[in-house]
Amino acid sequence: MISHWLNIIKKTGLTSAVKDDEAKRIMVVNSFSFITALLCSLYGVLLSVISGQWIICYTAMAFVSGFFSILLLNKKGHYPLAKFGLTFVFSAVMLYYGILFGEQTQVHFLGLFLICVPLLVCSRREKALRCICISLPIVGMIMLESNYYFGVFEPMMLSASDSNLFRWLIMSVVVFLQGLVISFHQSSIIGLLRTLHVRNDALKLSRDDIAGKEAELQTAYHKLENYNQVLEEEVKQRTHEINESRIVVESILHHLQGNHEELQRKDMLLEQHVSELESLKASLIEAKDEAERANAAQSTFLREISHEIRNPLNAIIGISYLLLNDRRNKNKIPRSVVDYIENINASSHGLMEIINNVLELAKIEAGRTDDLQIAPFHLGEWVRGVANIYQNAAKIKGVSLQVQVDPQLPEYILGDRVHLAQVLNNLLANAIKFTPGGRKVHLHFHCPDADHWHIRVVDEGMGIPKEKFPLIFQPFEQADRSVYRKFGGTGLGLAISRRLVELMEGRIEVRSEPGEGTAFTVILPLKQGLLAPQAFQLPAKKTYSAVPTDKKVLLMEDSEVNQMIMDRFFANLGLQLTIACNGEEGISKARQLLPDLIVMDMHMPRLDGYDTLRLIRQDPLLKHIPVIAISADAFSEQQEAALMAGVNDYLTKPVNFDRLYEMVKKYLQQQALHRELA
Ligand code: ADP
């Protein structure tokens, strides 16, 4: 309990804001004040009792209140004032009692204690306060000594024993207080030592820590050194490698340099080659242009030659036809002349075959082979038509032509009737040509399986040596020179036939024994024609059925021979023909006459066929009139051009009168029908 109260008194005025050092100093001030107050009260009473002088007690009580005032100052937080107050009250006590009790009591020794107190209660920073507090007891001691010396105030009258007792009592207080100061200093020194010890421990720890860190640094340094060594090794290795690579790169560069020079040399060579190639290309283009020009010239030449030959041939065939078929000549021409006319007619047909073959070959070589015209046709009638043509020639030569058709073959076949006839014509013409009189030529049509049909022409002629087989299918090639001398020919028939058969996806085979005969077999894919034939059919006999005879026909033709032939042809049909010598005259006559049909030559003076046709098609009176073109232009593109220009039909010269008849009949019947409907 007492210690509790003592503790409260000791800590008077302390707050949490006060630092530890300052708190200690405040506690010293409080302790000194409180202890001195107790001593002062005790001694005041005790000395008053001993001396019988109660003034001592009263003044002691005043000093006690002074000491408690110091506690009050600390309580209020006036710490420096409290420190000053402590030394001031102590100095006042020393001065007062020193004067009062006199020199013998040796109160001034209290000054020695007082000089030590400021060192205890003032911090190093409170220098001024410390100086003041130290100077206060010194001043007090000087004043006390001066008083002793000069005797300003007389001391209290004390007996020698009291004086002695007082001296011992005061000395004991001085010693106690001095001991208290020393003990405070000691505790402060111990605290300092403790702090030093703690600091020392901390320093030790931090030194250990530093040593550990140093060891770590040492290890890291060793590691770094090792790493450095490794790095150096690696750098050395890399440098070595780089040096080696550099050597390789240098050698590659050197090599590339060599290659570059080589390339430059080759580049120059290439440039030379390119320029050579370019000049070659230029000469090739020139040669190509030359070839194209030559080709065009050849085509023009062929067209013109064909045109020039066809016109006179038309006259020969037309006249011989009319001589043989004109009703007015019936029974008037002697038999021998009829034979001549028949020969003329047959030879003209032969000549036409040659022209057709030459044109066909020219077209094949120019790469302009006509597309196949596939249509169903009646096999029997087609065979009869082709065979009839050659029966006459065979008969003249004394060769027997025997035709045999396999009953397995369908009635209608799908194929190109015209080109097939061209192939068969060539084979039959050769067979009859190379077979001596009195022997036979067989023409077989048979069907070995469901997918193929064969046309076989077998003769009993001179035959062909085996080594010549490849040769005879080449254009302008014949088996033997003697063949030409004896039989003539162009060497084109088989070449064209093979080309046409290949176009029809078939092939030609030949077998022959020299001196015994030859067999040509055309093997073709069999396609049955399901539809009735659309194209014309050769009539078995040349008997023309009636055409509407009240119709007017206008012929535009400049050749007088052709005019004459046409005139007789239409007269035979019972039709009246009006003739115009050129296009201009033809247009004016057409406007006067308004004919039912116009037959027109495409090559006429003044106004040619194309211009005339254009005028007809532009004229409202004439534009509906059908026009049949008759021309010696036998090329398909020429026919197409005429059809595009507006002709209704096209016939090449020499005129096939049977076809002309069919066309005339068709258009006149159509006209009659239109009139009736109108
Ligand atoms: P050309 O009959 O106009 O000479 P082809 O091309 O038709 O031309 O015939 C070429 C050649 O093949 C003939 O010249 C002939 O030597 C030979 N040749 C063709 N058919 C027969 C045949 N039936 N008998 C003998 N030789 C033939």
Side-chain angles (χ1 to χ4, degrees):
M1 180 69 182
I2 292 168
S3 67
H4 173 71
W5 279 108
L6 285 175
N7 205 29
I8 287 171
I9 291 163
K10 196 170 110 183
K11 291 183 178 175
T12 302
L14 282 187
T15 61
S16 57
V18 180
K19 286 181 184 171
D20 280 356
D21 289 355
E22 184 65 6
K24 277 180 190 166
R25 283 189 281 272
I26 289 164
M27 284 193 290
V28 168
V29 171
N30 288 337
S31 304
F32 269 125
S33 301
F34 183 68
I35 290 166
T36 318
L38 286 181
L39 285 173
C40 206
S41 337
L42 182 70
Y43 271 72
V45 173
L46 188 66
L47 291 180
S48 293
V49 171
I50 291 168
S51 64
Q53 300 282 336
W54 286 100
I55 187 79
I56 299 168
C57 185
Y58 301 146
T59 48
M61 288 307 136
F63 286 125
V64 167
S65 60
F67 282 116
F68 279 116
S69 303
I70 291 161
L71 284 172
L72 205 64
L73 282 172
N74 268 345
K75 176 88 175 159
K76 297 272 180 196
H78 302 302
Y79 308 124
L81 204 58
K83 291 170 188 174
F84 173 76
L86 182 70
T87 46
F88 180 78
V89 175
F90 262 124
S91 299
V93 169
M94 179 191 76
L95 192 60
Y96 177 73
Y97 286 111
I99 291 169
L100 193 65
F101 296 143
E103 199 177 353
Q104 283 82 13
T105 51
Q106 296 182 350
V107 176
H108 52 273
F109 279 112
L110 200 62
L112 296 175
F113 150 75
L114 285 178
I115 290 168
C116 296
V117 171
L119 296 175
L120 203 64
V121 297
C122 294
S123 71
R124 262 182 247 143
R125 266 175 288 155
E126 294 169 322
K127 281 178 184 159
L129 184 63
R130 191 185 271 184
C131 285
I132 291 166
C133 290
I134 289 171
S135 59
L136 273 178
I138 292 170
V139 169
M141 278 165 62
I142 292 167
M143 283 171 73
L144 195 59
E145 285 300 323
S146 300
N147 187 53
Y148 289 150
Y149 187 74
F150 294 110
V152 181
F153 295 103
E154 281 297 317
M156 189 187 233
M157 289 300 287
L158 292 171
S159 64
S161 60
D162 284 350
S163 179
N164 237 3
L165 184 67
F166 273 36
R167 186 164 59 88
W168 282 109
L169 284 172
I170 287 163
M171 281 306 288
S172 63
V173 169
V174 168
V175 170
F176 172 75
L177 288 175
Q178 200 69 40
L180 203 65
V181 168
I182 288 165
S183 80
F184 277 131
H185 271 295
Q186 195 183 13
S187 78
S188 153
I189 285 163
I190 286 167
L192 213 62
L193 277 173
R194 238 185 242 126
T195 310
L196 273 175
H197 194 68
V198 169
R199 291 254 175 96
N200 193 33
D201 285 352
L203 273 173
K204 254 188 193 172
L205 275 177
S206 63
R207 204 176 55 208
D208 290 349
D209 202 27
I210 286 166
K213 292 267 166 68
E214 209 173 38
E216 273 176 25
L217 272 173
Q218 197 73 21
T219 321
Y221 177 74
H222 283 308
K223 271 188 188 170
L224 267 175
E225 262 194 346
N226 287 342
Y227 186 62
N228 198 23
Q229 271 181 1
V230 170
L231 269 180
E232 271 179 10
E233 277 300 312
E234 209 161 309
V235 166
K236 266 186 201 166
Q237 178 79 12
R238 288 279 157 87
T239 312
H240 182 68
E241 280 173 13
I242 287 169
N243 276 342
E244 280 183 352
S245 306
R246 193 170 52 83
I247 292 165
V248 171
V249 166
E250 271 175 4
S251 81
I252 289 171
L253 270 176
H254 185 70
H255 191 64
L256 278 174
Q257 189 78 24
N259 278 359
H260 180 66
E261 281 163 15
E262 179 72 7
L263 271 174
Q264 273 182 337
R265 203 176 55 76
K266 285 196 174 155
D267 204 30
M268 274 166 61
L269 273 176
L270 204 68
E271 270 175 18
Q272 273 178 13
H273 284 311
V274 166
S275 69
E276 276 170 23
L277 276 172
E278 268 172 3
S279 70
L280 205 66
K281 188 179 153 198
S283 56
L284 273 172
I285 288 171
E286 211 173 297
K288 186 178 157 246
D289 290 348
E290 185 67 29
E292 276 175 1
R293 276 197 297 277
N295 201 12
Q298 188 201 18
S299 294
T300 315
F301 172 75
L302 281 169
R303 262 200 304 274
E304 284 170 3
I305 287 288
S306 153
H307 186 264
E308 291 311 310
I309 293 171
R310 274 168 196 275
N311 270 326
L313 208 57
N314 188 46
I316 297 165
I317 291 175
I319 291 168
S320 58
Y321 175 86
L322 287 176
L323 283 171
L324 291 171
N325 293 290
D326 197 333
R327 277 178 289 182
R328 289 175 298 181
N329 292 340
K330 228 173 189 178
N331 303 326
K332 284 186 187 165
I333 303 171
R335 184 66 230 167
S336 58
V337 177
V338 168
D339 286 347
Y340 288 138
I341 296 168
E342 278 179 349
N343 272 334
I344 290 170
N345 194 267
S347 307
S348 312
H349 277 290
L351 189 57
M352 204 174 76
E353 279 304 314
I354 291 171
I355 294 165
N356 286 342
N357 277 344
V358 169
L359 289 181
E360 192 70 45
L361 186 79
K363 280 196 280 183
I364 288 170
E365 288 192 340
R368 297 203 314 261
T369 316
D370 289 347
D371 289 339
L372 295 174
Q373 304 289 319
I374 306 292
F377 63 91
H378 192 279
L379 182 66
E381 284 180 3
W382 176 75
V383 170
R384 202 162 42 246
V386 179
N388 273 349
I389 297 168
Y390 287 93
Q391 280 293 8
N392 204 28
K395 200 171 90 187
I396 292 165
K397 211 179 164 190
V399 172
S400 150
L401 176 60
Q402 297 185 345
V403 183
Q404 203 182 345
V405 181
D406 186 345
Q408 297 283 326
L409 276 164
E411 192 180 359
Y412 286 98
I413 280 185
L414 198 63
D416 186 333
R417 184 177 55 81
V418 176
H419 280 130
L420 272 173
Q422 205 174 342
V423 174
L424 188 53
N425 284 346
N426 279 324
L427 296 178
L428 268 180
N430 278 347
I432 295 166
K433 187 163 71 176
F434 294 112
T435 303
R439 296 205 183 165
K440 288 178 195 160
V441 169
H442 297 270
L443 175 58
H444 296 283
F445 296 87
H446 72 107
C447 179
D449 56 62
D451 298 326
H452 297 93
W453 66 297
H454 289 184
I455 304 170
R456 180 171 291 152
V457 180
V458 185
D459 65 50
E460 295 174 356
M462 57 191 282
I464 310 165
K466 274 199 176 53
E467 66 275 12
K468 301 285 182 189
F469 285 179
L471 195 72
I472 57 174
F473 289 100
Q474 299 298 319
F476 302 107
E477 290 290 348
Q478 295 183 314
D480 209 307
R481 287 219 155 265
S482 62
V483 170
Y484 180 73
R485 283 197 297 274
K486 201 171 169 188
F487 301 100
T490 55
L492 288 174
L494 287 179
I496 291 166
S497 298
R498 187 170 72 169
R499 177 78 187 107
L500 290 175
V501 169
E502 281 170 357
L503 263 180
M504 293 181 229
E505 296 170 2
R507 62 181 198 277
I508 298 184
E509 287 178 357
V510 58
R511 279 194 293 143
S512 183
E513 280 299 326
E516 288 184 15
T518 309
F520 283 96
T521 309
V522 178
I523 300 158
L524 292 160
L526 179 61
K527 288 167 191 162
Q528 194 167 340
L530 295 174
L531 298 167
Q534 305 280 317
F536 79 95
Q537 294 159 20
L538 278 175
K541 281 185 186 170
K542 287 167 192 162
T543 51
Y544 300 140
S545 57
V547 292
T549 49
D550 58 334
K551 303 293 174 205
K552 292 168 277 182
V553 179
L554 174 63
L555 173 74
M556 299 184 200
E557 170 67 82
D558 58 320
S559 159
E560 285 177 6
V561 180
N562 289 342
Q563 286 174 7
M564 185 263 288
I565 294 166
M566 284 298 174
D567 188 44
R568 297 303 296 272
F569 172 78
F570 281 102
N572 273 337
L573 293 179
L575 288 165
Q576 200 193 342
L577 187 72
T578 306
I579 297 173
C581 296
N582 56 56
E584 232 174 52
E585 192 187 332
I587 292 286
S588 73
K589 282 195 173 171
R591 283 182 184 143
Q592 287 165 18
L593 191 68
L594 297 177
D596 298 286
L597 177 67
I598 296 172
V599 178
M600 184 171 71
D601 181 20
M602 295 304 283
H603 291 275
M604 291 183 291
R606 302 180 75 143
L607 200 65
D608 79 350
Y610 290 96
D611 291 334
T612 312
L613 195 66
R614 189 167 42 76
L615 290 176
I616 291 171
R617 293 299 177 227
Q618 285 170 0
D619 194 319
L621 285 173
L622 308 177
K623 64 181 180 187
H624 63 281
I625 301 172
V627 177
I628 299 171
I630 295 180
S631 174
D633 295 332
F635 282 81
S636 59
E637 62 265 28
Q638 293 166 315
Q639 295 185 23
E640 274 162 23
L643 288 168
M644 289 288 287
V647 299
N648 295 73
D649 251 313
Y650 192 97
L651 271 177
T652 50
K653 290 177 182 175
V655 176
N656 182 327
F657 287 98
D658 298 336
R659 288 200 66 196
L660 179 59
Y661 162 73
E662 290 296 332
M663 286 176 189
V664 169
K665 190 173 140 190
K666 181 174 90 177
Y667 290 118
L668 290 182
Q669 280 175 347
Q670 276 177 7
Q671 286 294 90
L673 198 67
H674 284 150
R675 289 263 165 83
E676 273 172 31
L677 286 173

